[in-house]
Amino acid sequence: MTKSIVKDVFFLRMKSEEATKEDMNVVQDLLDTLASNREHCVGMAANMIGVRKRIIAVSMGPVNVAMINPEIIKKSGPFETEEGCLSLTGLRKTTRFQEIEVVYYDTNWKKQKKKYSGWIAQIIQHECDHLEGIII
């Protein structure tokens, strides 16, 4: 189900809690909400729809991918950039990494370990910041 986007900075600055198999409805809501905002959004974290769980959804071309309890375990190639956020207005400067490696659970609750680079890596980093209460 498509949910409203949270814009409350106090809420967004709170760290998210680990997700469990009981949170699969949140995964679907997040994917639905990302799909309905695809014209101006490429990634979302669960706190953006009012749920403080460690779940993100990332647009990877024609498909949206959910990552449950993602953790960036490697990063390389730092660069400076500006990013916007659906929950906030304007652009903010930040440092990102060109290449990352992430471990997470997929929607079948299977553990994944994958490498990402470029734009997809940047989106994942932005959404993982949301899980830590870091607003960019």
Side-chain angles (χ1 to χ4, degrees):
M1 176 186 303
T2 300
K3 302 289 186 175
S4 297
I5 303 302
V6 172
K7 298 184 182 283
D8 179 349
V9 175
F10 179 77
F11 181 83
L12 294 170
R13 285 197 172 136
M14 292 192 276
K15 279 190 168 190
S16 296
E17 300 171 2
E18 191 160 313
T20 67
K21 290 181 180 179
E22 286 73 40
D23 295 312
M24 292 309 290
N25 62 321
V26 177
V27 172
Q28 190 58 55
D29 289 347
L30 193 60
L31 288 167
D32 291 347
T33 306
L34 178 58
S36 70
N37 286 279
R38 69 181 161 266
E39 292 178 17
H40 49 275
C41 184
V42 293
M44 296 186 128
N47 64 351
M48 293 175 67
I49 60 168
V51 181
R52 287 182 38 237
K53 292 290 185 163
R54 297 186 64 80
I55 305 166
I56 65 173
V58 178
S59 175
M60 296 190 187
V63 298
N64 292 334
V65 175
M67 297 180 172
I68 303 163
N69 298 322
E71 181 185 352
I72 299 171
I73 59 170
K74 288 184 184 176
K75 46 192 173 183
S76 64
F79 67 97
E80 299 297 316
T81 189
E82 286 188 335
E83 296 176 351
C85 181
L86 193 59
S87 290
L88 306 166
T89 58
L91 295 174
R92 283 152 298 284
K93 292 182 180 183
T94 188
T95 300
R96 294 290 180 219
F97 294 86
Q98 184 63 31
E99 296 179 348
I100 61 171
E101 188 169 354
V102 185
V103 293
Y104 64 95
Y105 289 93
D106 64 20
T107 55
N108 295 314
W109 212 256
K110 183 178 176 189
K111 194 165 194 174
Q112 303 289 329
K113 181 177 176 182
K114 295 189 177 179
K115 293 179 181 180
Y116 297 95
S117 62
W119 180 235
I120 302 294
Q122 186 175 345
I123 298 166
I124 293 168
Q125 291 169 81
H126 180 100
E127 303 314 329
C128 284
D129 277 354
H130 269 293
L131 302 179
E132 297 300 322
I134 298 167
I135 300 173
I136 299 295

